[in-house]
Amino acid sequence: MYKVLLVDDEPLMLRYLESNLKKIDSRWEVCGSAQDGVQAVSLLEQEVFELVITDIRMPEMDGLALARYIQEKSLKTKVILISGYDDFEYARQAVRCGVYDYILKPLVDSELKKALDNIAEKIREESLRDIAVQSLQTLSQKSFEEVKAAFLSALLHENQREINALYPVLHKMQVSLLDGWGAIMILRPNTLMFAKQKMPEENRLLYRIMIRELCGDLDLDKVLFCEDMFGNLAFLITSEYEENIFSRALELKAAIERTRRGKTDIPLAASIGDAVSDLFGLSESYHTALDAFICTDQNSELRRVEHLSQRRYADIIKGICGQIIAALNVRDDTAVLVGIGALLNAFGKPFSLDECALSAFGFVSAAAKGDSVYVNNFESAYYHLARVLTEKAEVTEQDITAAYSVFLRRLRGDGYNTLASNMDISALAEAAKEYICLHYSEPLSLAFLAGKFNVTPAYLSDLFHKNIGESYTKFLARIRMEQSARILRTEPQTKIYSIAEQVGFVSVKHFNAVFKKHYGMSPKDYQRIQI
């Protein structure tokens, strides 16, 4: 979380930013405010802020003078200037004072969000440089490894900012990640086994942490690895000779398996990408390692793309997945379902569970570069897909179509729920309604209920409006009020706090307020009428 200091002599602007900054970008939190530069300087002397958002024109000390003070004191605090005047001279002076961005009033949230994104990236870049500088100064092995792992991650994810920040430092440290040939080996828990054992999400996370720690304890010529955006471990396998890469990867995989045995029975799936001799080709090796999960047999000890036909098959799968993602983004239901059909045809029959589950990587590799939403939702969506595919001994085309439809909704995570599923919309609405009527006394949230029916909360909320005629919240409140009124009529001697508890309220005060709003009188008054 980054700390922000707001400086403006307009109370309305201060209140607006205090209320909305975190909504615009959740990484930033307002931790102080001032009405002019003098007050801001006092706060900057007491506390460290990553960012100052300040108006230009203020009494006592204006925004430019404040920016100049921050620059002269060599503070790392970034500055965004806000001005109601489109004046070139202001902008020129702002650049001289080291101001990071200059935004005109009235504020547009999207412009502010863009500036905050850029500053967050800049701070991260500077933080990486700080780690590298510290490594140079202390020469500790741990620091060396942190810098190398961060650089490997930047290469695999093609993060040019981080590459630019760390490459010169590695050069100064005389550290080379690749002197001969190298390839990326991906290691991940077998998701299908997780699903078959119905392992809870928190256990899966702990398992991944455990595997990461075990790999960190290996001392095989200081094995270098990092975690990729999907939670996989990505290892750099190197050798002076290209032909030795695969055997070295097998040795490492075997060593990790030996370390794992006795601690867990969940096997590890592994794949390896093409060997490259260029450091900046490691990203390509990483992506071919992901491809290997799509197109090779589940029993392979170390999956890889060995033949041209396999590469063509992987390209076909990724091409179809790209089309599905494009259709998903424009809400074209028909095109999505046609794409899923094409995907199943590409799999061939009989359907391999492993093949169906691991092809999910195709969706992500086709979409993740352009949209972080897919990356953020990948783990839970992927696990759900694997769980659905393991519920039956044999899966039909209809089963997989329904499973992929839910997978896509979860992957997108924004209420895109009009794809085909096991139950039609009206049946789903009735099932949700029935569940509430049976479980109204329990703590029911929209998210919990949505999880029960494998849909997103946004979709379920929309479903209630369209099919039941009222919101989820109003429907639940109405059921609870009707049941509480029934108890008051049939058992008028029952204590109010007991009734509140029976219909799902933790707070009696809250129960009284909802009851009075619904019936126009308090529960006690309603009770008196019945006695």
Side-chain angles (χ1 to χ4, degrees), residues 213-440:
E213 291 300 315
L214 292 177
C215 293
D217 291 340
L218 291 173
D219 189 21
L220 304 174
D221 298 326
K222 299 294 183 296
V223 175
L224 181 62
F225 69 92
C226 64
E227 194 168 70
D228 74 359
M229 65 180 73
F230 313 123
N232 308 316
L233 293 181
F235 293 82
L236 175 58
I237 310 295
T238 61
S239 175
E240 185 179 353
Y241 304 104
E242 180 182 6
E243 57 267 25
N244 292 342
I245 290 290
F246 187 71
S247 60
R248 294 201 64 174
L250 283 173
E251 290 172 9
L252 176 58
K253 169 76 163 37
I256 294 169
E257 286 286 9
R258 284 195 299 272
T259 307
R260 175 190 67 80
R261 289 192 189 104
K263 297 180 175 66
T264 174
D265 60 346
I266 299 290
L268 298 169
S271 68
I272 190 167
D274 294 339
V276 297
S277 57
D278 175 22
L279 180 68
F280 294 96
L282 288 175
S283 174
E284 182 180 343
S285 180
Y286 166 69
H287 285 292
T288 55
L290 285 179
D291 290 350
F293 275 118
I294 301 173
C295 63
T296 54
D297 183 70
Q298 60 177 313
N299 297 316
S300 300
E301 189 172 10
L302 184 62
R303 294 174 171 91
R304 60 175 170 168
V305 181
E306 298 183 71
H307 309 294
L308 183 60
S309 59
Q310 290 178 319
R311 196 172 304 281
R312 286 173 178 163
Y313 179 73
D315 288 341
I316 289 170
I317 295 294
K318 289 196 296 181
I320 295 170
C321 292
Q323 293 169 14
I324 294 173
I325 289 294
L328 187 71
N329 287 335
V330 297
R331 311 295 194 262
D332 188 340
D333 296 9
T334 303
V336 171
L337 291 172
V338 168
I340 292 175
L343 190 65
L344 298 185
N345 287 333
F347 288 161
K349 295 179 181 178
F351 299 116
S352 158
L353 289 180
D354 195 65
E355 185 179 35
C356 294
L358 288 172
S359 65
F361 278 116
F363 286 101
V364 181
S365 60
K369 285 186 180 180
D371 196 337
S372 61
V373 170
Y374 295 104
V375 178
N376 295 337
N377 295 327
F378 171 73
E379 185 67 23
S380 63
Y382 183 41
Y383 177 69
H384 176 79
L385 175 65
R387 184 171 62 81
V388 170
L389 293 175
T390 57
E391 287 177 347
K392 297 183 179 181
E394 292 184 9
V395 289
T396 65
E397 185 170 345
Q398 185 179 3
D399 293 331
I400 298 176
T401 300
Y404 264 104
S405 296
V406 176
F407 168 73
L408 288 168
R409 296 200 298 272
R410 286 174 171 251
L411 190 64
R412 184 68 209 177
D414 63 355
Y416 180 74
N417 292 275
T418 54
L419 294 173
S421 63
N422 285 325
M423 60 174 70
D424 62 32
I425 290 175
S426 59
L428 177 57
E430 284 303 313
K433 180 179 173 182
E434 181 180 344
Y435 189 92
I436 290 174
C437 291
L438 292 173
H439 299 271
Y440 63 86

Side-chain angles (χ1 to χ4, degrees), residues 13-291:
M13 180 58 74
L14 283 179
R15 283 201 295 271
Y16 174 77
L17 288 172
E18 286 172 346
S19 301
N20 292 281
L21 193 68
K22 200 165 185 178
K23 297 176 185 176
I24 294 171
D25 192 324
S26 60
R27 293 170 294 181
W28 298 89
E29 184 173 11
V30 176
C31 295
S33 62
Q35 293 185 342
D36 58 46
V38 175
Q39 292 180 16
V41 167
S42 177
L43 290 171
L44 287 167
E45 289 173 347
Q46 301 171 39
E47 195 172 349
V48 176
F49 294 89
E50 279 78 24
L51 174 64
V52 168
I53 301 178
T54 178
D55 192 17
I56 287 187
R57 291 196 173 185
M58 295 180 296
E60 299 294 331
M61 183 180 188
D62 65 18
L64 287 170
L66 176 59
R68 198 174 296 113
Y69 166 83
I70 291 171
Q71 185 183 48
E72 290 171 354
K73 291 293 182 180
S74 300
L75 301 181
K76 291 186 177 181
T77 305
K78 305 293 183 288
V79 178
I80 292 178
L81 275 180
I82 299 174
S83 174
Y85 304 90
D86 188 4
D87 191 320
F88 174 74
E89 181 58 27
Y90 276 133
R92 189 168 65 85
Q93 290 185 53
V95 171
R96 287 179 178 176
C97 296
V99 170
Y100 194 86
D101 214 329
Y102 182 93
I103 301 177
L104 292 175
K105 294 180 180 178
L107 281 182
V108 177
D109 288 353
S110 59
E111 290 182 9
L112 183 56
K113 175 70 166 67
K114 185 177 179 181
L116 293 171
D117 280 342
N118 291 335
I119 293 173
E121 279 295 320
K122 184 69 175 176
I123 291 172
R124 176 169 168 75
E125 184 179 317
E126 290 173 354
S127 175
L128 288 169
R129 280 207 186 100
D130 288 344
I131 294 172
V133 169
Q134 185 181 4
S135 299
L136 283 170
Q137 292 170 345
T138 63
L139 300 178
S140 74
Q141 187 61 39
K142 183 179 179 181
S143 295
F144 273 119
E145 296 307 316
E146 285 179 357
V147 174
K148 288 161 63 179
F151 185 63
L152 177 62
S153 176
L155 285 173
L156 302 191
H157 298 118
E158 300 175 84
N159 188 324
Q160 201 58 47
R161 279 179 178 268
E162 294 183 13
I163 291 172
N164 293 341
L166 292 175
Y167 185 71
V169 177
L170 286 171
H171 182 70
K172 288 180 183 178
M173 294 166 66
Q174 296 184 332
V175 173
S176 175
L177 267 63
L178 196 62
D179 291 323
W181 288 84
I184 298 299
M185 181 180 82
I186 294 174
L187 198 69
R188 68 175 287 109
N190 188 308
T191 306
L192 291 175
M193 289 297 293
F194 274 148
K196 287 175 182 176
Q197 295 188 11
K198 295 182 169 55
M199 185 177 285
E201 186 168 354
E202 58 270 20
N203 289 7
R204 288 182 279 130
L205 176 61
L206 290 173
Y207 178 85
R208 279 170 35 198
I209 292 172
M210 181 193 73
I211 294 297
R212 188 166 63 237
E213 291 300 315
L214 292 177
C215 293
D217 291 340
L218 291 173
D219 189 21
L220 304 174
D221 298 326
K222 299 294 183 296
V223 175
L224 181 62
F225 69 92
C226 64
E227 194 168 70
D228 74 359
M229 65 180 73
F230 313 123
N232 308 316
L233 293 181
F235 293 82
L236 175 58
I237 310 295
T238 61
S239 175
E240 185 179 353
Y241 304 104
E242 180 182 6
E243 57 267 25
N244 292 342
I245 290 290
F246 187 71
S247 60
R248 294 201 64 174
L250 283 173
E251 290 172 9
L252 176 58
K253 169 76 163 37
I256 294 169
E257 286 286 9
R258 284 195 299 272
T259 307
R260 175 190 67 80
R261 289 192 189 104
K263 297 180 175 66
T264 174
D265 60 346
I266 299 290
L268 298 169
S271 68
I272 190 167
D274 294 339
V276 297
S277 57
D278 175 22
L279 180 68
F280 294 96
L282 288 175
S283 174
E284 182 180 343
S285 180
Y286 166 69
H287 285 292
T288 55
L290 285 179
D291 290 350

